[in-house]
Amino acid sequence: NVDNKNGEYIQANVPIYKGSSGSPLFNKKLECIGLTTFRLKDNEGVAITSYSYSIPANRINDFLGKYDA
């Protein structure tokens, strides 16, 4: 549970700016390992840029596999 959001996430120190969520997260081998999703906010609601989270690629593949034609 991160910021009242349940699920499996990858924590990264990549910045997510307004409008950039949904961008791919790559590892050092340039493999897409997730999609950027959200970032933490402080007590005043200001985004903490050093804490961002991504949905793991395997979870996305599982979801999309359910809709294969």
Side-chain angles (χ1 to χ4, degrees):
N1 184 336
V2 177
D3 203 22
N4 295 322
K5 298 175 193 260
N6 291 318
E8 180 183 327
Y9 299 100
I10 299 169
Q11 180 182 341
N13 62 350
V14 296
I16 298 176
Y17 299 104
K18 187 174 182 175
S20 68
S21 62
S23 298
L25 177 67
F26 294 100
N27 64 13
K28 290 182 180 183
K29 296 178 183 178
L30 298 179
E31 300 166 327
C32 179
I33 60 169
L35 291 179
T36 58
T37 306
F38 66 94
R39 56 192 174 178
L40 291 183
K41 295 181 180 180
D42 65 16
N43 292 337
E44 285 135 27
V46 177
I48 303 170
T49 57
S50 57
Y51 289 101
S52 59
Y53 294 86
S54 299
I55 300 171
N58 63 331
R59 300 294 298 153
I60 296 165
N61 287 336
D62 290 346
F63 176 79
L64 293 175
K66 293 178 183 177
Y67 298 97
D68 253 348

